Structures are given as C-alpha cells and as structure tokens.
Amino acid sequence: MEHINIGLFGYGIVGHGVRHIIEHTKSLNVSIEKICVKQKDKARDLSMDHFTFDKNDLLDNPKVNLIVEVIDDADAAYHIVTEALKKGKNVITANKKMVAEHLEELMLLQFETGAHLLYEASTGGSIPIIRNLEEYYDNDLLLSVHGILNSSTNYVLSRLFVDNLDYDIAIKQAQDLGYAESNPDLDIWGYDALYKLIIMAAHAYGVFAKPSQVFNHGIQNISTYDIQYAREKTWKIKQIATVRKLDDDSITLFVMPQFTDEDDSLSYVHNEYNGLYVEAAFSDKQFFQGKGAGAYPTGSCVISDISASSYDYKYEYKKYLQNKNTITYANDMVMEVYLRYYSKRNLALFEFEEISARFESEEYNYVIGLINLNKLVEMKDQINKADVLLVSTGKYF
Amino acid sequence: MEHINIGLFGYGIVGHGVRHIIEHTKSLNVSIEKICVKQKDKARDLSMDHFTFDKNDLLDNPKVNLIVEVIDDADAAYHIVTEALKKGKNVITANKKMVAEHLEELMLLQFETGAHLLYEASTGGSIPIIRNLEEYYDNDLLLSVHGILNSSTNYVLSRLFVDNLDYDIAIKQAQDLGYAESNPDLDIWGYDALYKLIIMAAHAYGVFAKPSQVFNHGIQNISTYDIQYAREKTWKIKQIATVRKLDDDSITLFVMPQFTDEDDSLSYVHNEYNGLYVEAAFSDKQFFQGKGAGAYPTGSCVISDISASSYDYKYEYKKYLQNKNTITYANDMVMEVYLRYYSKRNLALFEFEEISARFESEEYNYVIGLINLNKLVEMKDQINKADVLLVSTGKYF
C-alpha cells in the first residue's frame, strides 16, 4: 500500500467532503499536495498556499501520484483526466457526464498507458455498483439492472407522494438542501440518470451506448392527475433507469418514470436515496440501497476509490474483453406504458401497437398501451417537448 | 482465464444447483471432472461413471484444478478443504460452520500454500457481502453490519406476521419448501446466523471471534403475546445478526430477535430473503437484499466464486493484515431489550442495569430495560434453556 499524494481538482461540495474525510480517517495513508481551483478571488477556508490555479502544477508534479478530479465542467474534466492518464498518473473522477460520453476512449487510454481511472463515485451514489457489476455478475447470467439513480428527482417525487407538496415547492426544497443543481433540468429530465446508466451498462455488459441513442423522459410534466392515478392503485411513480438484456446478442437502455407497487423495494426508496435491482438467472434479484447525494456520501465513494487505488485496483473491463462486438445496443422492445396527455396532437406523436385502456375527460386524458421503444427513441425530441407524461408499467415484451 | 476442471464434493441440493448452472452458462469455461459422494447405494440422476467414493480420486487428480465442496458435514468438509489447500489446489466451499470455526487457520493456510479458498456462498445468500466488505469498506470507517442472514427463521417469522400462522405450521412449511433442515434448531436458535456473522466480522474488521464467545438467542419461544406486542407498535420481529464497532479498539457480535419499525428496510425483507445494512461514517447506511436459500441462489454464489477463481481472485484479508491485534473482540455494551417471561425465576437470570417498563398479567409478563451484553454472554446457556424471549429494541449505548 503506497503513500498517496493527491493532486485535487475542484473544491466545491464534493472536494470539501473529500478533504474532510481524509483528515478524519487515520488509516488512510493519504495526503493532499495541492488543490487546483479556477476562481482566484473567491474566499477559501484554507490558506492560499494550499491552492494553485495552474493545472500543470499538479499534472507535472512528480510528488503527485494520484489525480482526484471533482470539478463540475465535463469538458475541462475530460482534458484533465486524459492528460493525467497520458502522463501515466492514476486518476479518480466523479464526473458522470464526462465518463459516459468518453468511456470507450478512456478505457482504451488506460489499456495503452497502464494508468488507471476509477469512477465509482460517478454512479449509484454510495452503492458500490460498478465494482459489483465488474467483478461479481457474469454477463450472460445478468438479465437486467434497474433502479433509482438520481437523488434530486427522487427527492422531488418523495415530496409529491409523501407530503403532497406542489412540484415547484418540491424542486425549491431539493435545491435548498443541495440535492438539486441551480438548474435542475439535467436531473429532472433524466440526463443525469442516463449518464450513470450508460456507465453501468458498460460494466454490466461491455456495451458502450451513446447518450443520443438512449430514450430518456423526465418528470417535468408530472401532474396531480398522474399522482392521483398512481395513489388509487397504491403505487408510486419513480424515475427509473433500466438496462435489460433483450436476447443473447443485444441489450437496451432507457430512463423514464415508472409505476412501482407495494411489493417493489423501490417504492420505499425515498428522498436522496438511490436503489438498484440487479436481476440474474439463478440468483434472482438482488437489491442495493444507499445515499445518492451530499458531500459525504459522494466524498466517501471517492475515498473508497482512493483506497482501492493505493492497492493498485483497476477496472478490468472484463465484460468488454469477453464480449467484444458480440453484444450490441438495440431498442427493439415492446413495453406497456401509461400516457397522460391533454391535446390529441400530442397523442398522435405515439405509434401504439395496441391500446388496452383509454380515459378522456375535460381536464386530462390517458391511454394505456403497448409501444415499441424504437418508436420512442425516434420521436424522443418531440415527445420531450410535448406536455405529456409517459410512465412505464414495468412490463416488457 | 484458465479452464477450470472441478472436483465436486457433495451432490445434494446445492451440488445439483451448481451442476445445472454450469451446464446452462455458456460463457463459463468450466467442466466437472467427477463428483465425490458418500452413499454408494443411492439412486442418482447421472450415470455412475460421473461419481467416485474416494476423495483422493479428486484431491490427487492432476486434471482437477479446483475443488468445490458442498457437503453437509462440517468436520468432513474441514478435512477435504485443508487437504486440498495443502496440495496446492484452490477450493470453494459453502460450509459456514466449518469456515466460521476454522477461519484464522484457513487464512494462514492460504498464505502458506498460495492456494485460495473462496466462500461467498457461505454468507449472505446471493448478496456478495464478503467481497464488498473485503474490498470496499475501510474498517475504521465501518460502524456496523447487521441484518437477516438466516432464511428459514425469516420464512417462519414472515408466516407468523404476514399470515398469522402457528409457529409449528410455519416451521413445517419452511421444511417442506426446503428452506429449513429436517432439524431446524441450528437455524431457529441462531447458530447458522452466528457462523455467518463470524465470517462477516472477519472480513469487516479482521477479527476472528469464536462461536462460544458470541451471544445468540433464538426465536424458538416466540409467542402470540410477543407478536401482538410488536404489531400494536406496527413493528416486526426479525432475527438479526449484528457486528458493531464499540470504540477504536474493539468490536462486538450478537445474534438475537430485534424489533424493526416501518422505516427499517429489514421490515420488508420477507420469506427466504436476506437483508443487510452496512453502516459507515460519511457514506451513511447501505442496504443489500437478496435470496438467501435454495439450490439456485446458493449455486449461483458458488458459480460466482468459480468464475472469480478462474481470474485467480483471492481474499486478501486486508482488514486482518492492517489491524493485526489492534482490534479485539469484546462484549462490554449496554443494550435495551424487551424480555417476555412467565416465571419470576427466569426473570432473575437477567441482571438489568435499569428497567423502564414492566408489565405483569396472569398470562405473561414483560420488562423493558437496559442490560450489558457481557451479562447475556455469561448466562447464555441458562437463558437459552429458559422459556423467555429476549428482543433487542436496536438501541445500544
């Protein structure tokens, strides 16, 4: 276990959490060399000699043997991470957008340079899902991974269902508690969950999907009608990210609201918690739950990666190496959905294969029917601009 | 990934499960050389050339590069496992009693011979808890691990609480479904959970506790009064195994019934499922749930170990190597308990520090109070012979 001397990029909520945990964990043989930040004129809780504004002070510093990158900006993070790997330095990042968009390249760069990149903190909050997928579940036994990956959305949905709050007030609360960004659209529209899902799918099946290929639908249009519909059936609505095996040669991914019933552990995952089901042949379903947001849960994931890094742990990308090109990404799957809409024009966006129930009133309308995921991906932009709510019933064919 | 050729010991429920999964999992580069069984005159679903009655046919067979041991008899299992390791063969076992009783020795034998022993299937059912503790949670951040580890007991308690069944009928059902042994005492009295807890504690904290040092108390005396008491408070009673940090230098272990409330995920772990909380500083609580019994869940754990073995995965016993002798086993902890008793003589077995509630009637009596775990360990044999039920409230001081 070698001594780790960190070059830390970013000193926001997560950066503070990382520093705090390092200072309070005696067994970690870890120190922080310097912290690279952007804003020169911001007041800091450490003296200025702890900081630098020049990334090369860390990247070219021979005393730094681990780069920890916890900045917000995905493009800047990409440059830091690739530069560090190319210089042979190990890297830890929590940036899900950056990892999701560049994962295949980042994997190949690790193979090429021998330096490792760990990113458990990017996905699943404090649930160690990447390592479990990477090391424990063989891909041809793995049927699906699905669950709640975005804390802000789950916090908002909990407030709507548990406290009967209005949507706008719930969003405001999530922001005040630090669970949602000042612009919560990435969370609410399902992009944050989508990035995490793409990372999970790579470690579950060795498939690298592109964000634009994957259907995501948010909760921004959720109405009291939808909540009432779910309540009458003793269901909840959760934002669920799913990766599923379609057959031996293909998998699919999607993020959308889903009804969960009383027997579903996800119904009891409230507030800032994340929850995930891993379903495999023979072992059946395993369920994991843990905090998904906040300085310490995220910081403690980063710390676990730092600790693993000190043992020279690296992701082996076993599923990718086993499956190279034999498993592909596809969207040819029929699913049952609830579609709540106001105008017939919006209903016409959806090419249903079959409609099993139809409700019309002066206030709102809904249908329940079967639709192919391919059709949803094709119409993704139009669907997400329309005032509709599409909810999966969790039935796939 | 080398080709694995297995010498299989035992062909009961789990042995059948292992063979079935191997035959149905194309990606596993695995075959079974021969199966060693005890009974010569038993009808088998495979032709006799698949079997041997001589252990040395497997242990001395150069074609066999992995021993998989899934027999019932802990002593026989111990001899097979140690002999195999000494011959330099890797071994996988599901025998929790054998592992719990000999873990330190088995660890040292691995260090000495370089061969590895994996036993994820022994503990936590299909939840990969050993690896998560081994690899992900640093011990000085880990506050506790606790949960439901025994499927038979949990099945019985689910029937009592969910279906209002009588205790004897519930036990019979558990046996009929294969969740309980023909002699269910090991499960019901908490010994099975105790063995698993000892294994978890070794990988969580690097401490090897002896079964006799640890307090275990079963549900064999649970009465309708106890169930009614819990129900009135909307609680459940679950058999919970706990390992907790007492301070920087010591941990404690115990297995006993515990009340769980509506906010506790363990309240929703029913039937043959296992559920575990891992609580750590900074990352808060993580919860894991999965099937705990049956041929396939156990078989699939064995398969995961076989797959890991093919990548030469081994437990590193990091916590032990880090903590050698600095963390010790202790029982000096005050806990709040509910004690239901009939005779005053039995009440006198318990040296309470404080009693906060007392109920007496013609039918039954109970007290709620604080007691030191040391006192329970001292009186363990007498307590477990008496017709009392001791239930933890989950409050520890």
Side-chain angles (χ1 to χ4, degrees):
Chain A
M1 189 179 175
E2 79 180 309
H3 178 80
I4 298 280
N5 196 30
I6 291 174
L8 179 62
F9 281 87
Y11 196 55
I13 290 179
V14 178
H16 272 86
V18 168
R19 205 202 90 214
H20 179 89
I21 299 172
I22 286 175
E23 282 174 5
H24 291 80
T25 310
K26 62 174 188 181
S27 73
L28 286 170
N29 191 12
V30 170
S31 51
I32 296 177
E33 176 69 19
K34 260 195 198 314
I35 307 171
C36 182
V37 291
K38 210 164 123 189
Q39 288 173 273
K40 293 195 182 175
D41 50 356
K42 197 168 167 182
R44 308 279 179 185
D45 61 355
L46 289 174
S47 63
M48 278 317 295
D49 57 327
H50 290 84
F51 296 96
T52 173
F53 307 104
D54 179 359
K55 64 180 180 176
N56 293 322
D57 274 358
L58 300 180
L59 294 175
D60 290 332
N61 188 334
K63 280 191 280 177
V64 169
N65 56 3
L66 181 68
I67 297 294
V68 175
E69 176 283 301
V70 290
I71 64 175
D72 265 347
D73 180 335
D75 292 330
Y78 169 75
H79 289 293
I80 291 165
V81 167
T82 49
E83 230 177 297
L85 289 172
K86 282 176 190 162
K87 288 175 194 282
K89 286 210 195 307
N90 296 326
V91 184
I92 288 162
T93 178
N95 199 309
K96 58 224 80 165
K97 181 168 191 281
M98 187 274 291
V99 175
E101 283 175 343
H102 301 283
L103 188 47
E104 187 166 12
E105 180 196 342
L106 292 170
M107 175 190 72
L108 296 172
L109 195 54
Q110 290 176 75
F111 291 165
E112 195 188 310
T113 62
H116 62 247
L117 172 67
L118 302 179
Y119 41 84
E120 189 62 71
S122 69
T123 301
S126 56
I127 305 167
I129 188 63
I130 297 176
R131 288 192 213 193
N132 275 285
L133 291 171
E134 176 78 11
E135 291 168 34
Y136 197 68
Y137 296 97
D138 274 308
N139 65 307
D140 64 338
L141 296 175
L142 197 60
L143 302 176
S144 68
V145 186
H146 79 279
I148 297 165
L149 289 174
N150 180 268
S151 297
S152 333
T153 311
N154 201 46
Y155 184 86
V156 169
L157 289 171
S158 295
R159 295 286 69 71
L160 298 182
F161 273 82
V162 180
D163 300 339
N164 291 308
L165 283 191
D166 281 347
Y167 178 80
D168 292 339
I169 296 173
I171 293 263
K172 180 74 174 47
Q173 272 198 6
Q175 287 171 333
D176 290 347
L177 287 163
Y179 301 147
E181 307 290 327
S182 50
N183 175 359
D185 287 357
L186 274 182
D187 298 315
I188 296 297
W189 289 59
Y191 286 99
D192 175 81
L194 172 57
Y195 299 137
K196 294 167 175 171
L197 177 65
I198 285 173
I199 297 170
M200 285 203 322
H203 288 277
Y205 295 102
V207 171
F208 300 94
K210 296 275 164 222
S212 60
Q213 298 174 308
V214 179
F215 183 66
N216 63 300
H217 181 68
I219 61 155
Q220 66 276 11
N221 295 327
I222 196 166
S223 70
T224 51
Y225 308 120
D226 309 313
I227 293 167
Q228 184 189 325
Y229 177 89
R231 276 225 185 96
E232 282 169 2
K233 299 187 176 339
T234 70
W235 297 343
K236 301 271 192 297
I237 297 175
K238 295 290 187 183
Q239 187 196 62
I240 304 289
T242 302
V243 50
R244 284 177 69 84
K245 201 169 181 172
L246 295 178
D247 52 40
D248 281 351
D249 308 316
S250 61
I251 60 161
T252 194
L253 281 67
F254 50 98
V255 176
M256 60 191 290
Q258 184 178 319
F259 295 121
T260 59
D261 67 21
E262 284 179 307
D263 291 333
D264 189 333
S265 296
L266 292 170
S267 292
Y268 309 99
V269 175
H270 294 308
N271 303 330
E272 77 272 31
Y273 279 84
N274 285 188
L276 277 169
Y277 274 110
V278 177
E279 194 169 0
F282 306 116
S283 66
D284 208 80
K285 284 182 190 172
Q286 274 111 67
F287 182 68
F288 301 80
Q289 184 179 328
K291 270 197 184 167
Y296 292 155
T298 311
S300 72
C301 279
V302 172
I303 296 295
S304 285
D305 275 347
I306 292 172
S307 171
S309 183
S310 76
Y311 289 100
D312 203 28
Y313 176 83
K314 49 188 75 179
Y315 302 134
E316 294 185 32
Y317 299 91
K318 263 188 234 166
K319 313 295 176 73
Y320 168 80
L321 295 173
Q322 278 167 20
N323 300 333
K324 218 169 165 174
N325 300 324
T326 62
I327 299 186
T328 55
Y329 180 70
N331 280 311
D332 188 16
M333 180 192 76
V334 173
M335 63 199 302
E336 190 183 66
V337 295
Y338 157 102
L339 168 68
R340 196 262 311 132
Y341 62 99
Y342 302 110
S343 96
K344 290 250 172 194
R345 192 168 41 88
N346 283 337
L347 175 63
L349 294 171
F350 297 85
E351 201 178 313
F352 280 95
E353 301 199 347
E354 197 182 304
I355 286 183
S356 59
R358 187 185 291 276
F359 174 86
E360 295 183 355
S361 72
E362 283 184 11
E363 289 82 28
Y364 71 105
N365 318 295
Y366 69 78
V367 293
I368 292 167
L370 302 180
I371 197 160
N372 194 302
L373 183 55
N374 266 325
K375 302 286 176 192
L376 296 177
V377 174
E378 270 170 37
M379 300 291 286
K380 178 170 148 176
D381 291 343
Q382 291 93 319
I383 290 171
N384 287 335
K385 273 179 218 150
D387 187 0
V388 300
L389 185 77
L390 195 66
V391 185
S392 163
T393 67
K395 291 184 188 147
Y396 309 109
F397 306 96
Chain B
M1 188 180 173
E2 79 181 310
H3 178 81
I4 298 281
N5 197 29
I6 291 174
L8 180 62
F9 282 88
Y11 196 55
I13 290 179
V14 178
H16 273 86
V18 168
R19 206 203 88 214
H20 179 89
I21 299 172
I22 287 175
E23 281 173 8
H24 290 80
T25 309
K26 62 174 186 179
S27 72
L28 285 170
N29 190 13
V30 170
S31 50
I32 296 177
E33 177 70 20
K34 259 195 200 312
I35 306 170
C36 183
V37 290
K38 209 163 126 189
Q39 288 172 273
K40 294 195 179 172
D41 50 356
K42 197 168 166 182
R44 308 280 178 185
D45 62 354
L46 289 173
S47 62
M48 279 315 296
D49 57 326
H50 289 84
F51 296 96
T52 176
F53 306 104
D54 179 359
K55 64 179 182 175
N56 293 322
D57 274 359
L58 301 180
L59 295 175
D60 291 333
N61 189 333
K63 280 190 281 179
V64 168
N65 56 4
L66 180 68
I67 297 294
V68 176
E69 176 285 300
V70 289
I71 64 177
D72 266 347
D73 180 336
D75 293 331
Y78 169 73
H79 290 293
I80 291 164
V81 167
T82 49
E83 231 177 296
L85 290 173
K86 282 175 190 163
K87 288 174 195 283
K89 284 206 196 311
N90 297 325
V91 184
I92 287 160
T93 179
N95 198 309
K96 59 224 77 164
K97 182 168 191 280
M98 186 273 291
V99 175
E101 284 175 340
H102 302 283
L103 188 47
E104 187 166 12
E105 179 195 343
L106 292 170
M107 175 191 73
L108 296 172
L109 196 54
Q110 291 176 74
F111 290 165
E112 193 188 311
T113 63
H116 63 245
L117 172 67
L118 303 179
Y119 40 83
E120 189 63 70
S122 69
T123 302
S126 56
I127 305 167
I129 188 64
I130 296 176
R131 288 192 213 191
N132 275 286
L133 290 173
E134 176 77 10
E135 291 168 35
Y136 197 68
Y137 296 97
D138 274 308
N139 66 307
D140 65 337
L141 296 175
L142 198 60
L143 302 176
S144 69
V145 186
H146 79 279
I148 296 166
L149 289 174
N150 181 268
S151 297
S152 332
T153 310
N154 202 46
Y155 184 86
V156 169
L157 289 171
S158 295
R159 295 287 69 72
L160 299 182
F161 273 82
V162 180
D163 300 339
N164 291 309
L165 283 192
D166 281 347
Y167 178 79
D168 293 340
I169 296 173
I171 292 264
K172 179 74 173 49
Q173 271 198 7
Q175 287 171 331
D176 290 348
L177 286 163
Y179 301 146
E181 308 290 326
S182 49
N183 176 356
D185 287 358
L186 274 182
D187 298 315
I188 296 297
W189 289 59
Y191 286 99
D192 176 81
L194 171 57
Y195 299 138
K196 294 167 174 170
L197 178 65
I198 285 173
I199 297 169
M200 284 202 323
H203 288 278
Y205 295 100
V207 171
F208 299 94
K210 295 278 165 219
S212 61
Q213 298 174 308
V214 180
F215 183 66
N216 63 301
H217 181 68
I219 61 154
Q220 66 275 9
N221 294 328
I222 195 167
S223 71
T224 50
Y225 307 121
D226 309 313
I227 294 167
Q228 186 189 324
Y229 177 88
R231 277 227 185 92
E232 282 170 1
K233 301 186 177 336
T234 71
W235 297 344
K236 301 270 191 297
I237 297 175
K238 295 289 187 184
Q239 187 196 61
I240 305 290
T242 303
V243 50
R244 283 176 69 84
K245 200 169 182 173
L246 295 179
D247 51 41
D248 281 351
D249 308 316
S250 62
I251 61 161
T252 195
L253 281 66
F254 51 97
V255 176
M256 60 191 291
Q258 184 179 319
F259 295 121
T260 59
D261 68 20
E262 284 178 308
D263 290 333
D264 188 334
S265 296
L266 293 170
S267 292
Y268 309 98
V269 175
H270 294 307
N271 302 328
E272 76 272 31
Y273 280 83
N274 285 188
L276 277 170
Y277 275 110
V278 176
E279 195 170 358
F282 306 117
S283 66
D284 207 78
K285 284 182 189 174
Q286 274 110 67
F287 181 68
F288 302 80
Q289 183 178 330
K291 270 198 184 168
Y296 293 155
T298 311
S300 73
C301 281
V302 172
I303 297 294
S304 285
D305 275 347
I306 293 173
S307 172
S309 182
S310 76
Y311 290 98
D312 203 28
Y313 175 82
K314 49 188 75 179
Y315 301 135
E316 293 184 34
Y317 299 93
K318 263 188 235 165
K319 313 295 175 75
Y320 168 80
L321 295 173
Q322 278 168 19
N323 300 333
K324 219 168 165 174
N325 300 322
T326 61
I327 299 186
T328 55
Y329 180 71
N331 280 312
D332 188 17
M333 180 192 74
V334 172
M335 63 199 302
E336 188 183 65
V337 295
Y338 156 102
L339 168 68
R340 195 262 311 131
Y341 63 98
Y342 301 110
S343 94
K344 290 250 173 196
R345 193 167 42 88
N346 283 337
L347 175 62
L349 294 171
F350 297 85
E351 201 178 314
F352 280 95
E353 301 199 347
E354 195 183 304
I355 286 183
S356 60
R358 186 184 292 275
F359 173 85
E360 294 183 357
S361 72
E362 283 185 10
E363 289 80 29
Y364 71 104
N365 317 295
Y366 69 78
V367 293
I368 292 166
L370 301 180
I371 197 161
N372 194 301
L373 183 55
N374 265 325
K375 302 286 176 189
L376 296 177
V377 174
E378 269 170 36
M379 299 292 286
K380 177 169 149 177
D381 291 343
Q382 291 94 316
I383 291 170
N384 286 336
K385 273 179 216 150
D387 188 359
V388 299
L389 185 77
L390 195 65
V391 185
S392 163
T393 66
K395 291 183 189 148
Y396 308 110
F397 308 95

